[in-house]
Amino acid sequence: MNAPITSPIAWYRRPRATHAPIGFEARLNESLDVLREAGQHAPCVFAHSLSAEDMVIFHLIVEHAFPIQSFALDTGKLPEATLDLWSRAEAIYSTRIERVMPRQTSIDVLNAMNADSALYENKEVRLRCCDTRKTEPLRSVLAGKRSWVTGLRRAQSAGRAQVASTEYDSTFQLQKFNPLANWADEDVWYFTDKHKIPFNALYEKGYASIGCDPCTRPIRENEHPRAGRWWWEQTDANAIKSECGIHVAANSNSTPKEN
Ligand code: SF4
């Protein structure tokens, strides 16, 4: 189903900042303040997606010994490169990233629906798959927690343009901290390069936003960085909106909705 990509794209070939971007130190300090506050809302967990921004957060949590437990959702559909990064990150930082998996009974229901192929034809099936493999397991791991941390950034998409550093998550009913809300792409990659933080090898193969293997493709030159996620559902390339359902209620005043 992945669209053929025949040439490298400019997104990951762009020049990376070798000096701190303007205002970077202030944004970094703000991020540390947000993580410090998150740690004070214990028990607090970090939803690690193994993305570049989440590797930055993981690095900060470990380096500063913030009392925040990291976990990742193993959907059963993650690319090999993501699983490889997961292992490398745990080894490099000597820190476990808890593996959270979907219930087998729910997977059996998906299989009976032929969800692997049907998700491209039927959005209800795609949402059911995301709910089963991501939202249900996330709900179980967030149960009893007081707060959680995510790598959401305003610069990622139009649907995330209003993300705040801290907000009440009405969907899961706990405080949500987004320490990199103000970070631009160049901030993420500047910090990654400076601290030699490991990252997913798919970034060097034209991928700009990486999720499950069936629902992620590399992007073409001039495409939006999230254009490779659920691309068959996107009708407006300039306003990438599809989400998996995990981050659909951005603040206390919003109602759960599909972005
Ligand atoms: S991103 Fe795709 S494979 Fe992963 S849970 Fe959602 S629909 Fe299923």
Side-chain angles (χ1 to χ4, degrees), residues 75-78 110 115-116 119-120 125-135 211-216 229-230 232-233 243-244:
T75 63
K77 297 292 181 182
L78 296 180
L110 280 184
D116 284 359
L119 64 86
Y120 298 111
V125 174
R126 198 279 283 175
L127 292 173
R128 178 70 175 262
C129 186
C130 282
D131 193 54
T132 296
R133 296 183 184 277
K134 296 181 176 180
T135 313
C212 291
D213 192 54
C215 302
T216 305
R229 305 290 298 277
W230 305 290
W232 63 94
E233 293 178 1
E243 298 276 0
C244 63

Side-chain angles (χ1 to χ4, degrees), residues 110-234:
L110 280 184
N111 290 338
M113 298 165 68
N114 292 319
D116 284 359
S117 55
L119 64 86
Y120 298 111
E121 316 296 335
N122 185 330
K123 188 168 181 177
E124 293 303 313
V125 174
R126 198 279 283 175
L127 292 173
R128 178 70 175 262
C129 186
C130 282
D131 193 54
T132 296
R133 296 183 184 277
K134 296 181 176 180
T135 313
E136 267 187 20
L138 176 66
R139 188 173 288 115
S140 72
V141 78
L142 293 184
K145 304 299 188 298
R146 192 168 163 220
S147 67
W148 67 310
V149 172
T150 87
L152 289 183
R153 293 187 296 116
R154 285 202 277 274
Q156 287 169 326
S157 70
R160 297 181 178 183
Q162 305 301 321
V163 165
S165 296
T166 177
E167 56 198 8
Y168 184 72
D169 186 330
S170 57
T171 299
F172 299 108
Q173 301 192 335
L174 75 177
Q175 199 63 26
K176 183 175 182 179
F177 293 93
N178 309 306
L180 303 191
N182 291 329
W183 285 40
D185 286 352
E186 65 174 355
D187 294 329
V188 173
W189 289 102
Y190 166 73
F191 193 80
T192 296
D193 292 342
K194 180 178 179 183
H195 295 280
K196 297 183 169 45
I197 297 172
F199 57 85
N200 197 317
L202 292 177
Y203 286 118
E204 296 185 311
K205 295 183 177 177
Y207 291 75
S209 175
I210 303 166
C212 291
D213 192 54
C215 302
T216 305
R217 65 157 172 77
I219 60 171
R220 302 179 184 86
E221 190 167 1
N222 297 325
E223 276 191 319
H224 187 285
R226 280 181 66 83
R229 305 290 298 277
W230 305 290
W231 65 94
W232 63 94
E233 293 178 1
Q234 311 295 352

